Amino acid sequence: MKISVQSEDFDVGAECAALTRGRTDIGAVASFVGLVRDSNDGAGVARMTLEHYPGMTEKSLAEIVEEARGRWDVMDATVIHRVGELRPGDNIVLVVVASAHRGDAFAACEFIMDYLKTRAPFWKKEKTPEGERWVDARESDDRAAEKWKG
Amino acid sequence: MKISVQSEDFDVGAECAALTRGRTDIGAVASFVGLVRDSNDGAGVARMTLEHYPGMTEKSLAEIVEEARGRWDVMDATVIHRVGELRPGDNIVLVVVASAHRGDAFAACEFIMDYLKTRAPFWKKEKTPEGERWVDARESDDRAAEKWKG
Amino acid sequence: MSVKVLYFAGLREAVGQSSEQLALPAQIGSVGQLHAHLVARGGAWQALATAKNLRIAVNQKIAAVDAPLKDGDEVAFFPPVTGG
Amino acid sequence: MSVKVLYFAGLREAVGQSSEQLALPAQIGSVGQLHAHLVARGGAWQALATAKNLRIAVNQKIAAVDAPLKDGDEVAFFPPVTGG
C-alpha cells in the first residue's frame, strides 16, 4: 500500500506498473484520476489551492484503504493526493487498486474515492473572476459515500 | 474516441494523458486494465492466445462505447484490446473514460468492461499443465452485464 | 445465392476450417436454415448442433436464427465470447 | 491541562491563526467545553459558533462534542472536507 500527500505531479502509468511489477496473480487494475476543471458551480476557475491537515490526512487515507481491503479482495492499492497550488487540467488525486477480479477493483477504487471526498481532511480554495472562495462540500458527495453503507 | 485491437502492448499513462491533453473541462478519468493471471479455474496458466473476429470486434467495441455515451456524460473514451499470444502478467485490455464527474467516469468504464466481456468477439485459449483449453464463458460475467439493464 | 461463412475459436477447430464461400440451395433463406444445412453435412459439422450457446452474427452483427439471408452476406458461427 | 488547537481552511482564515497551545481552565474536560471556551472569546471566534457543519478531530481522529480531553491532546476544528 502506498499513500502519499505531495505537491509534485504523479504518473498514472508508473503507479499502475509499480502495483503489478513482478506479480502474475493480479487480473484487474482499476484507477481513477481527479483533475482541476476550468469551471465549478457556474464560475470560471483560474487557480486552486489545496490545503490539508498533515498527519491526519495520511492516517485517514490509510484507514479508508484498510476499510476497502476489509470489504473487497484488494491485493494492493495506491493513493496519491496533491496539495498546494494547482491549475485547470492539473492532476489532483490518483487512486489505483489491484485485485484478482474486476468487480472488486472497480468497487474498491470508487469506494476509496467516495470516502476520500467526505472524510480525508483536504480543502479547496478556488480563484475565480469574482475573487477567491473556499469550495463548499457537496451533498452529492455525501450521497455517494452513503451508498456504501449497510 | 479511440478503439484499437492490436498485438502490441499499451501504455496506461500515455493513453490517459492523450484523453486529457489540451483540455481543462475534464474532472475525472477512470481506467481499467485487465491482465493475464497465472491461474484460472484452479489450473496454472503458462500462456494464453487471444483470437478475435477482425472487423466485428472493432464495430462491437465502438457500439459499446456509444451506448455508454448515451447513458452517461462521457467526454472521451479509449478501448484497447490485445490479441495473439500473451503470458501471465501481460496486459490484455485497457478502458479509459474521461468525464466531467467521477460517478459518470466510473460507471461508464465498468459498463464498457462488462459489455466487452459478454459482447465483443474475443476468445481466450489457455495453455495449462494439462494441455490447451478454450476458456468457458462465465455466468458471473453475464450477471455483471445484466446489472446495467432496465 | 452465395454467402461467406466464418467459424471462430473452438468451433473453428472442431469443423477444421476458419471460413468458406458457400453457394446456397434456393430453399435456404435464413440463418437457421443455413445452420441446419451445415449440420446435415454430418461428421465434424455436428459440432454446430452440439455447441452450447452457439452465437451467430450476420454481417458482423449478432443475429437470431430467424434472421433472413441475402446474397453476399457474411455469416459467423462462434461460442460465447471470453475476452477482456 | 494544555492542548494544541488547530484551525483549517475558512475557519483558519476567520479566526486569523492556524494553531495555538492552550492552557485550559480546570473545568474544561471535553471537546464541547473547549469549543464554548473559544467561542466565549468573542469577536472573530464567533466563527466557531456560526460555522456550518463544523468538524472536530482529537489526535487526528474525528471526534464528537462530548469526547473527553486530556493533557497534550491535539484538537482540530475545520469545515467539511472538499478534497479529491
Side-chain angles (χ1 to χ4, degrees), chain D:
Chain D
M1 69 180 154
S2 170
V3 298
K4 186 178 185 184
V5 188
L6 305 175
Y7 310 97
F8 290 98
L11 211 53
R12 171 179 56 72
E13 290 183 341
V15 303
Q17 66 184 80
S18 58
S19 76
E20 57 181 317
Q21 192 67 41
L22 207 59
L24 296 183
Q27 73 275 19
I28 295 184
S30 74
V31 164
Q33 288 163 348
L34 169 61
H35 178 253
H37 178 67
L38 292 166
V39 169
R41 288 170 166 177
W45 300 90
Q46 290 297 315
L48 281 171
T50 57
K52 270 191 306 180
N53 301 312
L54 181 72
R55 299 290 199 263
I56 303 159
V58 176
N59 298 327
Q60 308 190 350
K61 284 227 157 229
I62 291 294
V65 285
D66 61 352
L69 292 178
K70 63 179 191 308
D71 190 53
D73 278 350
E74 177 177 301
V75 184
F77 295 96
F78 47 82
V81 304
T82 57

Side-chain angles (χ1 to χ4, degrees), chain B residues 51-53 55-56 59 63 81 93 116-118 120-125 134-135 137, chain C residues 6-10 12-13 57 59-62 74 76 78-84:
Chain B
E51 178 173 331
H52 75 123
Y53 181 172
M56 180 170 170
K59 274 183 212 168
E63 278 168 18
H81 201 298
V93 61
L116 182 158
K117 279 268 184 187
T118 51
F122 293 99
W123 300 273
K124 284 174 181 161
K125 192 178 195 177
W134 289 97
V135 173
Chain C
L6 304 174
Y7 310 96
F8 289 98
R12 170 179 57 73
E13 290 182 341
N59 298 328
Q60 308 189 351
K61 283 226 156 236
I62 291 295
E74 176 176 300
F78 48 81
V81 304
T82 57

Side-chain angles (χ1 to χ4, degrees), chain B residues 11 18 24-26 29 46 53 59 69 74 77 82 84 87-88 93 99 101 105-106 108 116 126 147:
Chain B
D11 178 330
T24 51
D25 56 343
I26 291 171
V29 176
Y53 181 172
K59 274 183 212 168
R69 275 180 186 274
V74 172
R82 295 179 72 190
R87 291 176 185 282
V93 61
S99 175
H101 304 292
F106 273 118
L116 182 158
E126 293 173 341
K147 75 171 185 267

